[in-house]
Amino acid sequence: MPQPDLVIFDCDGVLVDSEIIAARVEAELITAAGYEISAEEIAQTYAGLTFKDILMSIEERSGVAFQIALIDRAETLVGQRLKRDVRAIEGVHEAVASITAPRCICSNSRSERIEFMLERTRLLPLFSGRIFSAEETPTGKTKPAPDVFLHAAATLGADPAKTFVIEDSVHGVTGARRAGMRVIGFTGGAHSYPGHADALTEAGAETVIRRWAELKSVVAALSEWTDE
């Protein structure tokens, strides 16, 4: 049976239920800084982006100027909340272990945070030595740029066209598609919203799963099917 050269997992909102935690903190900070926004709006519109990119996007749209110190404040507060509250998404350990192809993580989060969350949720042994942070790639470009995906594939000797990516955000899906990879959308995180699956499909995901129990069969089915 054919299988991918590589299976790439996003981290936040895919492996660990951290997106909603970060969104709540970021919404509080941005609202206090003069632009009212809810955690739900951040999750729907900005999931997958760094906090710096979220602020820049809001500044462009609204004209509200934020102090750069807000970025460090968010980093500290999100880190504190994650240490207290982060959990693995139900069924993820078994799902990741079921993938026999090489696997790795590509995330916009810093590697230190990724490793902390994985260690806390007992996922680190499944990805040790195969964690790629977009900010730490040669270009430093974050998703939706394709750079982190292409860097991971090159490092691990994988053909992008034979690489599958599991992503929960439009920005992540966009980056993976720009890298020439095949994408499975995921909507099993607490930050999921009405229309989430449709948004991922429109961004380029070939299919969308809500439960990790679906992953093994979906990867097998997509591996059998190709445009070639």
Side-chain angles (χ1 to χ4, degrees):
M1 180 180 295
Q3 65 175 1
D5 279 8
L6 177 65
V7 178
I8 297 175
F9 293 81
D10 180 37
C11 183
D12 296 284
V14 172
L15 299 174
V16 297
D17 222 349
S18 54
E19 282 284 5
I20 190 62
I21 296 171
R24 287 168 178 159
V25 172
E26 291 163 359
E28 291 171 5
L29 290 173
I30 293 171
T31 297
Y35 182 83
E36 187 170 348
I37 192 169
S38 66
E40 291 74 20
E41 184 178 350
I42 287 181
Q44 181 169 345
T45 307
Y46 300 108
L49 294 181
T50 65
F51 187 58
K52 177 182 178 181
D53 287 339
I54 292 172
L55 293 181
M56 290 175 62
S57 179
I58 292 174
E59 283 184 341
E60 291 174 2
R61 292 172 56 185
S62 69
V64 174
F66 299 106
Q67 294 184 351
I68 195 159
L70 205 60
I71 296 173
D72 289 338
R73 180 66 175 154
E75 182 74 16
T76 299
L77 289 178
V78 171
Q80 291 173 349
R81 299 276 182 93
L82 290 173
K83 287 179 180 178
R84 187 186 71 193
D85 298 331
V86 72
R87 299 288 186 273
I89 292 180
E90 183 178 356
V92 69
H93 297 84
E94 297 81 2
V96 173
S98 75
I99 299 299
T100 56
R103 56 182 179 256
C104 73
I105 290 173
C106 286
S107 172
N108 273 353
S109 290
R110 295 177 180 177
S111 58
E112 295 91 343
R113 176 173 289 174
I114 300 168
E115 290 175 6
F116 158 74
M117 293 190 295
L118 296 182
E119 184 173 16
R120 180 177 174 85
T121 57
R122 299 181 291 105
L123 285 161
L124 188 57
L126 296 171
F127 294 101
S128 185
R130 288 164 288 146
I131 297 170
F132 297 89
S133 168
E135 292 184 348
E136 297 162 19
T137 60
T139 66
K141 292 182 179 179
T142 55
K143 305 173 190 177
D147 301 43
V148 67
F149 297 113
L150 293 172
H151 177 64
T155 301
L156 299 174
D159 180 353
K162 297 179 180 178
T163 296
F164 289 177
V165 180
I166 296 91
E167 276 283 356
D168 67 306
S169 73
V170 167
H171 302 291
V173 173
T174 300
R177 292 298 298 138
R178 288 175 178 172
M181 298 175 178
R182 303 177 69 180
V183 186
I184 299 168
F186 181 74
T187 61
H191 65 295
S192 190
Y193 54 88
H196 191 179
D198 289 340
L200 298 182
T201 301
E202 290 171 8
E206 292 184 43
T207 189
V208 178
I209 61 175
R210 185 177 61 84
R211 298 180 303 114
W212 277 120
E214 304 170 58
L215 181 67
K216 184 177 180 180
S217 61
V218 167
V219 169
L222 290 181
S223 297
E224 292 280 355
W225 178 85
T226 177
D227 283 332
E228 295 179 359

